[in-house]
Amino acid sequence: MKVTIIGHGYVGLVTGAIFSDLGNNVTVIGRTKDKIDALNRGNIPIYEPGLEEIVKRNLKAQRLTFSLEYKESVPTSDVVIIAVGTPSQNNGEADLKSVFDVAQKIAQNLDGFTVVACKSTVPPGTNRKIEELIKKMKPEKASFAQASIPEFLREGTAIEDTLKPDRIVIGVEDEKAKKILCKLHGPLSQNTLVTNIETAEMIKYTANSFLANKISFANAISFLCEKTGADVEKVMEGIGLDKRIGKAFLKAGVGYGGSCFPKDVKALIHISKNLGYNFKLLKEVESINKQAAINFVKKISKYFKNLRNKTLTILGLSFKPDTDDMRDAPSITIINELLRLGAKIKAYDPAAIENARKIFKNSISLYKDPYQAMKGADALVIITEWKEFRELDMDKVKKLLKTPVIFDGRNIYDREKIKRLDFTYFCIGRQNAESN
Ligand code: UDX
Protein backbone atom coordinates (compact mmCIF):
# COMPACT_ATOMS: atom_id res chain seq x y z
CA MET A 1 0.00 0.00 0.00
CA LYS A 2 1.08 3.56 -0.48
CA VAL A 3 0.95 5.61 2.71
CA THR A 4 1.75 9.26 3.45
CA ILE A 5 2.24 10.34 7.04
CA ILE A 6 2.24 13.99 8.01
CA GLY A 7 4.49 14.66 11.01
CA HIS A 8 7.71 13.00 12.17
CA GLY A 9 7.33 13.19 15.95
CA TYR A 10 7.20 9.99 17.97
CA VAL A 11 3.94 8.82 16.43
CA GLY A 12 4.62 9.78 12.80
CA LEU A 13 8.17 8.50 12.73
CA VAL A 14 7.52 5.19 14.47
CA THR A 15 4.35 4.52 12.45
CA GLY A 16 6.19 5.35 9.21
CA ALA A 17 9.11 3.11 10.12
CA ILE A 18 6.89 0.15 11.01
CA PHE A 19 4.51 0.45 8.05
CA SER A 20 7.47 0.62 5.66
CA ASP A 21 9.09 -2.36 7.41
CA LEU A 22 5.89 -4.29 6.74
CA GLY A 23 6.42 -3.71 3.00
CA ASN A 24 4.36 -0.58 2.39
CA ASN A 25 5.65 2.38 0.44
CA VAL A 26 5.75 5.23 2.98
CA THR A 27 6.46 8.95 2.67
CA VAL A 28 6.73 10.98 5.87
CA ILE A 29 6.20 14.71 5.40
CA GLY A 30 7.68 17.48 7.54
CA ARG A 31 8.08 21.26 7.40
CA THR A 32 11.77 21.86 8.06
CA LYS A 33 14.33 21.20 5.33
CA ASP A 34 17.23 20.48 7.71
CA LYS A 35 15.20 17.91 9.62
CA ILE A 36 13.95 16.20 6.47
CA ASP A 37 17.49 16.09 4.99
CA ALA A 38 18.81 14.59 8.25
CA LEU A 39 16.02 12.00 8.33
CA ASN A 40 16.78 11.01 4.72
CA ARG A 41 20.36 10.37 5.87
CA GLY A 42 18.99 8.17 8.68
CA ASN A 43 19.59 10.66 11.51
CA ILE A 44 16.79 10.29 14.02
CA PRO A 45 15.90 13.41 16.05
CA ILE A 46 14.46 11.42 18.99
CA TYR A 47 15.84 8.81 21.37
CA GLU A 48 13.87 5.62 20.82
CA PRO A 49 15.53 2.21 21.19
CA GLY A 50 15.52 0.26 17.89
CA LEU A 51 14.03 3.02 15.74
CA GLU A 52 17.14 4.21 13.91
CA GLU A 53 17.93 0.72 12.68
CA ILE A 54 14.44 0.25 11.19
CA VAL A 55 14.49 3.71 9.58
CA LYS A 56 17.92 3.06 8.02
CA ARG A 57 16.88 -0.37 6.76
CA ASN A 58 13.80 1.01 5.01
CA LEU A 59 15.53 4.07 3.62
CA LYS A 60 18.03 1.72 2.02
CA ALA A 61 15.25 -0.47 0.61
CA GLN A 62 13.59 2.73 -0.71
CA ARG A 63 10.33 1.89 1.01
CA LEU A 64 10.65 4.95 3.28
CA THR A 65 11.21 8.56 2.19
CA PHE A 66 11.08 11.88 3.99
CA SER A 67 9.81 14.89 2.09
CA LEU A 68 8.67 18.50 2.33
CA GLU A 69 6.23 18.17 -0.57
CA TYR A 70 2.62 17.01 -0.30
CA LYS A 71 2.22 16.88 -4.06
CA GLU A 72 4.82 14.14 -4.49
CA SER A 73 2.99 11.45 -2.53
CA VAL A 74 -0.50 12.52 -1.36
CA PRO A 75 -2.22 12.25 -4.79
CA THR A 76 -1.11 8.63 -5.24
CA SER A 77 -1.52 7.44 -1.64
CA ASP A 78 -4.14 4.92 -0.49
CA VAL A 79 -3.98 6.29 3.04
CA VAL A 80 -2.85 9.69 4.36
CA ILE A 81 -2.24 9.77 8.11
CA ILE A 82 -2.25 12.98 10.16
CA ALA A 83 0.27 12.63 13.00
CA VAL A 84 1.05 16.17 14.10
CA GLY A 85 1.14 17.50 17.67
CA THR A 86 -1.89 18.80 19.58
CA PRO A 87 -0.22 20.62 22.50
CA SER A 88 -2.09 22.11 25.48
CA GLN A 89 -3.04 25.76 25.33
CA ASN A 90 -3.01 27.84 28.53
CA ASN A 91 -6.60 26.88 29.35
CA GLY A 92 -5.87 23.14 28.87
CA GLU A 93 -7.67 22.93 25.52
CA ALA A 94 -5.89 21.00 22.75
CA ASP A 95 -4.34 23.28 20.12
CA LEU A 96 -5.64 21.98 16.78
CA LYS A 97 -4.02 24.57 14.52
CA SER A 98 -1.48 22.17 13.01
CA VAL A 99 -4.15 19.51 12.44
CA PHE A 100 -6.32 21.89 10.40
CA ASP A 101 -3.35 23.39 8.51
CA VAL A 102 -2.29 19.91 7.49
CA ALA A 103 -5.86 18.87 6.57
CA GLN A 104 -6.06 21.84 4.23
CA LYS A 105 -2.84 20.89 2.45
CA ILE A 106 -3.93 17.27 2.16
CA ALA A 107 -7.27 18.39 0.65
CA GLN A 108 -5.55 20.47 -2.02
CA ASN A 109 -3.47 17.46 -3.11
CA LEU A 110 -6.08 14.67 -3.15
CA ASP A 111 -6.63 12.70 -6.32
CA GLY A 112 -8.77 9.56 -6.85
CA PHE A 113 -10.00 7.86 -3.64
CA THR A 114 -7.98 8.36 -0.43
CA VAL A 115 -8.51 7.46 3.20
CA VAL A 116 -7.60 10.41 5.44
CA ALA A 117 -6.92 9.01 8.90
CA CYS A 118 -6.14 11.10 11.97
CA LYS A 119 -3.70 9.65 14.52
CA SER A 120 -3.20 12.93 16.38
CA THR A 121 -5.10 12.98 19.69
CA VAL A 122 -8.07 15.27 19.01
CA PRO A 123 -11.29 16.05 20.93
CA PRO A 124 -14.43 14.19 19.84
CA GLY A 125 -15.95 16.02 16.90
CA THR A 126 -12.63 17.16 15.41
CA ASN A 127 -12.54 14.49 12.69
CA ARG A 128 -15.97 15.69 11.52
CA LYS A 129 -14.54 19.21 11.24
CA ILE A 130 -11.53 17.88 9.31
CA GLU A 131 -13.95 16.03 7.02
CA GLU A 132 -15.95 19.21 6.39
CA LEU A 133 -12.81 21.22 5.69
CA ILE A 134 -11.43 18.65 3.23
CA LYS A 135 -14.82 18.42 1.47
CA LYS A 136 -14.72 22.17 0.89
CA MET A 137 -11.09 22.36 -0.22
CA LYS A 138 -10.51 19.19 -2.28
CA PRO A 139 -10.52 19.08 -6.09
CA GLU A 140 -13.99 18.23 -7.36
CA LYS A 141 -13.00 14.87 -8.87
CA ALA A 142 -11.17 13.58 -5.80
CA SER A 143 -13.03 11.50 -3.22
CA PHE A 144 -12.05 10.54 0.31
CA ALA A 145 -13.23 8.98 3.56
CA GLN A 146 -12.35 10.27 7.02
CA ALA A 147 -11.17 7.97 9.81
CA SER A 148 -9.82 8.20 13.34
CA ILE A 149 -7.01 5.76 14.20
CA PRO A 150 -5.78 6.66 17.70
CA GLU A 151 -2.28 5.70 18.75
CA PHE A 152 -1.39 4.00 22.04
CA LEU A 153 2.41 3.67 21.76
CA ARG A 154 4.62 4.53 24.73
CA GLU A 155 7.95 6.30 24.42
CA GLY A 156 10.84 3.94 25.07
CA THR A 157 8.83 0.89 23.96
CA ALA A 158 7.32 2.47 20.87
CA ILE A 159 8.50 -0.20 18.41
CA GLU A 160 7.20 -3.10 20.48
CA ASP A 161 3.92 -1.24 21.19
CA THR A 162 3.40 -0.56 17.48
CA LEU A 163 4.34 -4.06 16.33
CA LYS A 164 2.34 -5.85 19.02
CA PRO A 165 -0.38 -3.49 20.23
CA ASP A 166 -3.02 -4.77 22.70
CA ARG A 167 -5.58 -3.52 20.20
CA ILE A 168 -6.06 -1.45 17.08
CA VAL A 169 -8.93 1.03 17.16
CA ILE A 170 -10.33 2.17 13.83
CA GLY A 171 -13.08 4.77 13.81
CA VAL A 172 -14.51 4.66 10.33
CA GLU A 173 -17.94 4.63 8.75
CA ASP A 174 -17.13 4.14 5.04
CA GLU A 175 -16.96 0.44 4.05
CA LYS A 176 -14.19 0.85 1.45
CA ALA A 177 -12.03 2.83 3.90
CA LYS A 178 -12.69 0.24 6.60
CA LYS A 179 -11.35 -2.54 4.33
CA ILE A 180 -8.25 -0.52 3.43
CA LEU A 181 -7.44 0.37 7.07
CA CYS A 182 -8.07 -3.20 8.31
CA LYS A 183 -5.72 -4.48 5.58
CA LEU A 184 -3.02 -1.93 6.47
CA HIS A 185 -3.18 -2.79 10.20
CA GLY A 186 -3.85 -6.52 9.64
CA PRO A 187 -0.24 -7.70 10.25
CA LEU A 188 -0.10 -5.83 13.58
CA SER A 189 -2.98 -7.22 15.61
CA GLN A 190 -5.83 -9.71 15.60
CA ASN A 191 -7.60 -7.44 18.04
CA THR A 192 -9.17 -4.74 15.91
CA LEU A 193 -12.09 -2.72 17.18
CA VAL A 194 -14.02 -0.86 14.52
CA THR A 195 -16.21 1.96 15.85
CA ASN A 196 -17.76 5.19 14.71
CA ILE A 197 -15.42 8.18 14.52
CA GLU A 198 -16.45 9.89 17.79
CA THR A 199 -16.04 6.64 19.74
CA ALA A 200 -12.48 6.17 18.48
CA GLU A 201 -11.64 9.78 19.42
CA MET A 202 -13.11 9.20 22.89
CA ILE A 203 -11.29 5.87 23.42
CA LYS A 204 -7.92 7.63 23.22
CA TYR A 205 -8.73 10.26 25.88
CA THR A 206 -10.45 7.68 28.06
CA ALA A 207 -7.47 5.30 27.94
CA ASN A 208 -4.90 7.96 28.87
CA SER A 209 -7.07 9.55 31.55
CA PHE A 210 -7.89 6.16 33.06
CA LEU A 211 -4.19 5.23 33.24
CA ALA A 212 -3.36 8.61 34.82
CA ASN A 213 -6.22 7.93 37.25
CA LYS A 214 -4.65 4.59 38.24
CA ILE A 215 -1.30 6.27 38.92
CA SER A 216 -2.84 9.07 40.98
CA PHE A 217 -4.88 6.51 42.91
CA ALA A 218 -1.68 4.62 43.76
CA ASN A 219 -0.01 7.90 44.79
CA ALA A 220 -2.94 8.91 47.03
CA ILE A 221 -2.81 5.47 48.70
CA SER A 222 0.96 5.93 49.14
CA PHE A 223 0.30 9.13 51.15
CA LEU A 224 -1.88 7.03 53.50
CA CYS A 225 0.61 4.16 53.64
CA GLU A 226 3.30 6.50 54.94
CA LYS A 227 1.04 7.50 57.82
CA THR A 228 -0.22 4.00 58.66
CA GLY A 229 2.88 1.82 58.34
CA ALA A 230 1.50 -0.07 55.32
CA ASP A 231 3.76 -0.72 52.32
CA VAL A 232 2.34 0.73 49.07
CA GLU A 233 4.33 -1.74 46.94
CA LYS A 234 2.62 -4.66 48.69
CA VAL A 235 -0.77 -2.94 48.74
CA MET A 236 -0.62 -2.49 44.95
CA GLU A 237 0.57 -6.07 44.50
CA GLY A 238 -2.30 -7.17 46.69
CA ILE A 239 -4.93 -5.34 44.69
CA GLY A 240 -3.23 -5.95 41.31
CA LEU A 241 -3.66 -9.70 41.71
CA ASP A 242 -7.38 -9.12 41.41
CA LYS A 243 -7.97 -9.62 37.68
CA ARG A 244 -10.61 -6.91 37.69
CA ILE A 245 -7.96 -4.37 38.75
CA GLY A 246 -4.72 -5.62 37.14
CA LYS A 247 -1.14 -4.83 38.17
CA ALA A 248 -0.15 -2.29 35.52
CA PHE A 249 0.16 1.45 36.16
CA LEU A 250 -0.16 1.20 39.92
CA LYS A 251 3.41 2.23 40.69
CA ALA A 252 3.47 5.06 43.21
CA GLY A 253 6.26 7.59 42.85
CA VAL A 254 6.76 11.28 42.18
CA GLY A 255 3.92 11.45 39.63
CA TYR A 256 3.34 11.02 35.93
CA GLY A 257 4.73 13.29 33.19
CA GLY A 258 5.41 13.12 29.47
CA SER A 259 3.81 14.40 26.32
CA CYS A 260 0.48 12.63 26.75
CA PHE A 261 -0.96 12.07 30.24
CA PRO A 262 -0.71 15.68 31.50
CA LYS A 263 -1.94 17.10 28.18
CA ASP A 264 -4.76 14.61 27.63
CA VAL A 265 -6.09 14.78 31.19
CA LYS A 266 -6.20 18.59 30.87
CA ALA A 267 -7.89 18.34 27.47
CA LEU A 268 -10.57 15.92 28.71
CA ILE A 269 -11.34 18.23 31.65
CA HIS A 270 -11.76 21.02 29.10
CA ILE A 271 -13.85 18.91 26.71
CA SER A 272 -16.12 17.94 29.64
CA LYS A 273 -16.53 21.56 30.68
CA ASN A 274 -17.62 22.47 27.14
CA LEU A 275 -20.13 19.61 27.26
CA GLY A 276 -21.56 20.85 30.57
CA TYR A 277 -19.96 18.24 32.86
CA ASN A 278 -17.61 19.20 35.68
CA PHE A 279 -15.15 16.25 35.65
CA LYS A 280 -14.04 16.70 39.29
CA LEU A 281 -12.50 13.21 39.40
CA LEU A 282 -9.98 14.15 36.71
CA LYS A 283 -9.22 17.49 38.39
CA GLU A 284 -8.30 15.53 41.50
CA VAL A 285 -6.12 13.18 39.40
CA GLU A 286 -4.14 16.26 38.32
CA SER A 287 -3.96 17.65 41.81
CA ILE A 288 -2.73 14.36 43.37
CA ASN A 289 -0.09 14.21 40.64
CA LYS A 290 1.27 17.64 41.60
CA GLN A 291 1.09 16.71 45.29
CA ALA A 292 3.20 13.58 44.66
CA ALA A 293 6.13 15.73 43.47
CA ILE A 294 5.68 18.35 46.19
CA ASN A 295 5.41 15.74 48.99
CA PHE A 296 8.73 14.32 47.82
CA VAL A 297 10.38 17.75 48.09
CA LYS A 298 8.83 18.17 51.57
CA LYS A 299 10.50 14.91 52.66
CA ILE A 300 13.87 16.27 51.58
CA SER A 301 13.41 19.71 53.13
CA LYS A 302 12.04 18.22 56.38
CA TYR A 303 15.13 16.04 56.76
CA PHE A 304 17.60 18.87 56.16
CA LYS A 305 15.47 21.52 57.92
CA ASN A 306 17.27 24.17 55.85
CA LEU A 307 18.32 23.45 52.27
CA ARG A 308 20.54 26.51 51.91
CA ASN A 309 24.10 25.41 51.13
CA LYS A 310 23.04 21.78 50.78
CA THR A 311 24.09 20.02 47.58
CA LEU A 312 21.75 17.37 46.19
CA THR A 313 22.59 14.93 43.40
CA ILE A 314 19.60 14.19 41.20
CA LEU A 315 19.64 10.92 39.27
CA GLY A 316 17.10 10.82 36.42
CA LEU A 317 15.63 13.81 34.62
CA SER A 318 13.54 12.36 31.77
CA PHE A 319 9.83 11.83 32.55
CA LYS A 320 10.46 8.07 32.58
CA PRO A 321 13.35 5.71 31.73
CA ASP A 322 14.49 4.92 28.17
CA THR A 323 13.66 8.31 26.74
CA ASP A 324 15.34 11.72 26.56
CA ASP A 325 11.94 13.41 26.76
CA MET A 326 11.52 15.96 29.53
CA ARG A 327 8.09 17.28 28.60
CA ASP A 328 6.15 17.80 31.84
CA ALA A 329 8.72 15.65 33.67
CA PRO A 330 8.25 15.57 37.49
CA SER A 331 11.99 16.37 37.70
CA ILE A 332 11.22 19.94 36.54
CA THR A 333 8.77 20.62 39.39
CA ILE A 334 11.01 18.92 41.95
CA ILE A 335 14.25 20.65 40.91
CA ASN A 336 12.65 24.09 40.63
CA GLU A 337 11.18 23.69 44.11
CA LEU A 338 14.51 22.51 45.55
CA LEU A 339 16.28 25.48 43.91
CA ARG A 340 13.67 27.83 45.36
CA LEU A 341 14.42 26.42 48.80
CA GLY A 342 18.11 27.21 48.31
CA ALA A 343 19.59 23.80 47.43
CA LYS A 344 22.45 23.40 44.95
CA ILE A 345 21.68 20.79 42.31
CA LYS A 346 24.03 18.42 40.49
CA ALA A 347 22.27 16.12 38.07
CA TYR A 348 22.82 13.13 35.82
CA ASP A 349 20.60 11.39 33.29
CA PRO A 350 21.64 8.72 30.76
CA ALA A 351 19.82 10.45 27.86
CA ALA A 352 18.18 13.76 28.80
CA ILE A 353 21.20 15.96 29.59
CA GLU A 354 20.87 18.07 26.44
CA ASN A 355 17.14 18.64 26.94
CA ALA A 356 17.77 19.44 30.62
CA ARG A 357 20.37 22.06 29.66
CA LYS A 358 17.74 23.88 27.58
CA ILE A 359 15.31 23.90 30.53
CA PHE A 360 17.57 24.66 33.50
CA LYS A 361 20.29 26.67 31.68
CA ASN A 362 23.02 27.39 34.26
CA SER A 363 20.85 27.01 37.36
CA ILE A 364 21.98 23.40 37.91
CA SER A 365 25.20 21.49 37.12
CA LEU A 366 24.86 18.61 34.67
CA TYR A 367 27.22 15.62 34.59
CA LYS A 368 27.97 12.89 32.08
CA ASP A 369 28.75 10.35 34.79
CA PRO A 370 26.58 9.52 37.83
CA TYR A 371 29.54 9.05 40.19
CA GLN A 372 31.04 12.42 39.26
CA ALA A 373 27.69 14.03 40.01
CA MET A 374 27.66 12.59 43.55
CA LYS A 375 31.06 13.75 44.70
CA GLY A 376 30.68 15.66 47.97
CA ALA A 377 26.85 15.85 47.84
CA ASP A 378 24.68 15.84 50.96
CA ALA A 379 22.19 13.36 49.48
CA LEU A 380 21.27 11.32 46.44
CA VAL A 381 17.79 11.94 44.98
CA ILE A 382 16.30 9.39 42.56
CA ILE A 383 13.60 10.83 40.31
CA THR A 384 13.54 8.49 37.28
CA GLU A 385 14.00 4.73 37.58
CA TRP A 386 16.65 4.13 34.88
CA LYS A 387 17.94 0.54 35.12
CA GLU A 388 21.55 1.68 35.60
CA PHE A 389 20.62 3.38 38.90
CA ARG A 390 19.60 0.00 40.35
CA GLU A 391 23.04 -1.32 39.44
CA LEU A 392 25.20 1.40 41.00
CA ASP A 393 28.18 0.35 43.10
CA MET A 394 26.67 1.37 46.45
CA ASP A 395 29.99 1.16 48.32
CA LYS A 396 31.41 3.66 45.86
CA VAL A 397 28.27 5.83 46.19
CA LYS A 398 28.71 5.86 49.97
CA LYS A 399 32.34 6.92 49.69
CA LEU A 400 31.55 9.72 47.23
CA LEU A 401 28.63 11.28 49.12
CA LYS A 402 29.42 13.65 51.97
CA THR A 403 26.62 12.02 54.00
CA PRO A 404 25.06 8.65 53.03
CA VAL A 405 21.45 9.78 52.50
CA ILE A 406 19.16 8.61 49.69
CA PHE A 407 15.71 9.94 48.74
CA ASP A 408 14.24 7.37 46.37
CA GLY A 409 11.26 8.78 44.46
CA ARG A 410 10.62 5.53 42.59
CA ASN A 411 11.29 2.85 45.23
CA ILE A 412 14.07 1.26 43.20
CA TYR A 413 16.18 -0.02 46.10
CA ASP A 414 15.72 -2.85 48.54
CA ARG A 415 15.28 -1.17 51.94
CA GLU A 416 16.98 -3.91 53.93
CA LYS A 417 20.07 -4.00 51.69
CA ILE A 418 20.39 -0.23 51.73
CA LYS A 419 20.02 -0.17 55.50
CA ARG A 420 22.72 -2.83 55.88
CA LEU A 421 25.04 -0.50 53.95
CA ASP A 422 24.29 2.17 56.54
CA PHE A 423 22.47 4.60 54.31
CA THR A 424 19.66 6.77 55.62
CA TYR A 425 16.97 5.88 53.12
CA PHE A 426 13.70 7.64 52.33
CA CYS A 427 11.23 6.05 49.92
CA ILE A 428 7.62 6.42 48.76
CA GLY A 429 4.58 4.97 50.56
CA ARG A 430 6.49 2.73 52.95
CA GLN A 431 8.57 3.07 56.07
CA ASN A 432 11.95 4.69 55.59
CA ALA A 433 15.18 3.05 56.72
CA GLU A 434 17.18 5.24 59.05
CA SER A 435 20.89 4.59 59.39
CA ASN A 436 22.15 3.51 62.78
C1 UDX B 1 1.41 7.17 27.46
C2 UDX B 1 0.47 5.96 27.23
O1 UDX B 1 0.92 4.84 28.03
C3 UDX B 1 0.43 5.58 25.76
O2 UDX B 1 -0.51 4.53 25.56
C4 UDX B 1 0.00 6.83 24.96
O3 UDX B 1 -0.01 6.55 23.58
C5 UDX B 1 0.95 7.99 25.24
O4 UDX B 1 1.00 8.25 26.66
P1 UDX B 1 4.05 7.53 27.60
O5 UDX B 1 3.72 8.96 27.91
O6 UDX B 1 5.11 7.23 26.61
O7 UDX B 1 2.75 6.76 27.12
O8 UDX B 1 4.52 6.86 28.98
P2 UDX B 1 3.96 5.83 30.05
O9 UDX B 1 4.82 4.64 30.08
O10 UDX B 1 2.51 5.60 29.92
O11 UDX B 1 4.24 6.66 31.40
C6 UDX B 1 3.66 7.95 31.62
C7 UDX B 1 4.07 8.50 32.95
O12 UDX B 1 3.46 7.78 34.01
C8 UDX B 1 5.57 8.44 33.25
O13 UDX B 1 5.97 9.66 33.85
C9 UDX B 1 5.73 7.30 34.23
O14 UDX B 1 6.82 7.46 35.10
C10 UDX B 1 4.41 7.41 34.99
N1 UDX B 1 3.98 6.15 35.61
C11 UDX B 1 3.61 5.10 34.82
C12 UDX B 1 3.90 6.06 37.00
O15 UDX B 1 4.21 7.00 37.73
N2 UDX B 1 3.43 4.89 37.54
C13 UDX B 1 3.05 3.82 36.78
O16 UDX B 1 2.62 2.79 37.35
C14 UDX B 1 3.16 3.92 35.37
Side-chain angles (χ1 to χ4, degrees):
M1 253 185 230
K2 195 158 178 200
V3 180
T4 295
I5 298 174
I6 323 290
H8 50 69
Y10 267 97
V11 173
L13 198 50
V14 173
T15 309
I18 298 294
F19 278 153
S20 60
D21 215 34
L22 292 173
N24 299 291
N25 187 332
V26 178
T27 304
V28 177
I29 296 184
R31 285 182 304 189
T32 318
K33 187 171 184 310
D34 289 352
K35 288 186 186 166
I36 292 298
D37 289 347
L39 282 163
N40 273 324
R41 289 193 300 270
N43 295 336
I44 307 300
I46 52 176
Y47 176 93
E48 185 61 42
L51 180 60
E52 190 165 305
E53 200 187 314
I54 303 178
V55 168
K56 283 191 169 144
R57 180 163 70 228
N58 288 286
L59 279 170
K60 201 168 164 209
Q62 296 186 329
R63 281 189 299 260
L64 180 63
T65 320
F66 296 91
S67 171
L68 292 164
E69 299 294 338
Y70 284 63
K71 62 176 184 293
E72 276 168 14
S73 65
V74 171
T76 51
S77 284
D78 301 290
V79 181
V80 177
I81 297 174
I82 301 176
V84 293
T86 52
S88 283
Q89 301 181 75
N90 286 343
N91 62 357
E93 195 176 3
D95 183 346
L96 302 175
K97 190 177 175 303
S98 301
V99 171
F100 291 121
D101 283 354
V102 158
Q104 196 169 328
K105 288 189 192 123
I106 294 171
Q108 287 159 349
N109 287 282
L110 288 180
D111 194 9
F113 177 78
T114 315
V115 180
V116 178
C118 184
K119 248 191 195 303
S120 303
T121 302
V122 293
T126 307
N127 270 279
R128 297 278 175 219
K129 290 185 189 152
I130 298 174
E131 191 176 14
E132 285 310 310
L133 190 142
I134 296 181
K135 258 187 206 156
K136 266 191 225 147
M137 312 275 304
K138 72 173 180 59
E140 210 175 311
K141 277 189 192 154
S143 62
F144 79 105
Q146 186 67 32
S148 162
I149 48 167
E151 180 54 61
F152 303 101
L153 64 80
R154 287 165 299 175
E155 291 180 21
T157 52
I159 303 294
E160 180 78 3
D161 288 350
T162 310
L163 278 173
K164 292 185 201 147
D166 289 346
R167 78 310 204 178
I168 300 275
V169 173
I170 301 180
V172 67
E173 287 142 32
D174 178 278
E175 274 307 311
K176 194 170 163 193
K178 177 179 153 185
K179 277 198 190 113
I180 292 173
L181 289 173
C182 286
K183 192 174 161 203
L184 179 66
H185 291 88
L188 299 176
S189 175
Q190 304 296 318
N191 234 354
T192 299
L193 182 68
V194 178
T195 66
N196 72 10
I197 288 177
E198 286 75 9
T199 305
E201 292 172 322
M202 200 54 156
I203 287 172
K204 172 69 197 216
Y205 279 108
T206 308
N208 274 356
S209 300
F210 191 78
L211 291 170
N213 193 7
K214 281 187 98 175
I215 299 168
S216 277
F217 203 91
N219 281 328
I221 295 292
S222 85
F223 306 154
L224 302 182
C225 288
E226 287 179 9
K227 304 223 183 279
T228 57
D231 179 339
V232 75
E233 297 288 333
K234 293 285 171 204
V235 171
M236 291 307 143
E237 195 183 334
I239 68 160
L241 287 167
D242 184 329
K243 286 196 193 74
R244 293 168 304 174
I245 298 173
K247 289 181 195 161
F249 281 70
L250 287 177
K251 189 98 179 73
V254 291
Y256 61 78
S259 65
C260 290
F261 286 175
K263 164 178 86 73
D264 293 347
V265 168
K266 269 195 189 71
L268 191 52
I269 290 172
H270 199 274
I271 292 164
S272 306
K273 188 176 160 219
N274 285 347
L275 296 171
Y277 175 61
N278 183 2
F279 211 147
K280 286 190 197 157
L281 176 64
L282 276 189
K283 289 181 181 169
E284 196 52 32
V285 165
E286 273 195 318
S287 142
I288 294 167
N289 195 51
K290 274 186 209 125
Q291 211 181 325
I294 294 301
N295 279 3
F296 187 57
V297 174
K298 278 190 185 152
K299 258 182 212 167
I300 303 173
S301 60
K302 189 174 162 200
Y303 175 78
F304 285 109
K305 293 186 183 71
N306 185 352
L307 278 170
R308 290 208 175 275
N309 301 321
K310 295 288 175 216
T311 301
L312 304 172
T313 298
I314 305 281
L315 293 190
L317 297 163
S318 56
F319 81 95
K320 66 171 192 179
D322 294 323
T323 175
D324 64 351
D325 199 338
M326 286 201 56
R327 282 176 286 179
D328 273 322
S331 65
I332 302 176
T333 312
I334 294 168
I335 292 175
N336 282 337
E337 191 58 13
L338 290 170
L339 287 172
R340 196 183 64 79
L341 294 170
K344 285 199 181 73
I345 304 291
K346 294 163 130 193
Y348 166 77
D349 185 281
I353 293 293
E354 287 318 311
N355 285 334
R357 210 182 300 284
K358 287 178 210 150
I359 295 169
F360 296 110
K361 312 253 163 26
N362 293 328
S363 62
I364 69 173
S365 311
L366 293 159
Y367 289 81
K368 288 199 172 121
D369 174 272
Y371 297 109
Q372 263 176 24
M374 307 173 192
K375 235 177 171 175
D378 293 283
L380 196 63
V381 178
I382 311 282
I383 298 188
T384 315
E385 67 279 31
W386 283 88
K387 189 163 169 272
E388 67 173 72
F389 303 155
R390 293 176 207 271
E391 291 156 7
L392 288 173
D393 174 345
M394 295 316 273
D395 288 319
K396 191 170 169 186
V397 171
K398 204 172 143 196
K399 276 187 202 131
L400 287 169
L401 289 173
K402 193 157 99 193
T403 43
V405 182
I406 299 178
F407 294 91
D408 181 356
R410 298 287 183 179
N411 289 352
I412 64 171
Y413 295 124
D414 178 323
R415 255 178 320 175
E416 294 314 313
K417 267 193 207 157
I418 286 284
K419 195 178 171 184
R420 254 180 272 133
L421 289 167
D422 261 344
F423 278 97
T424 298
Y425 179 64
F426 295 89
C427 40
I428 300 284
R430 46 185 196 166
Q431 297 307 295
N432 304 315
E434 308 282 343
S435 72
N436 300 322

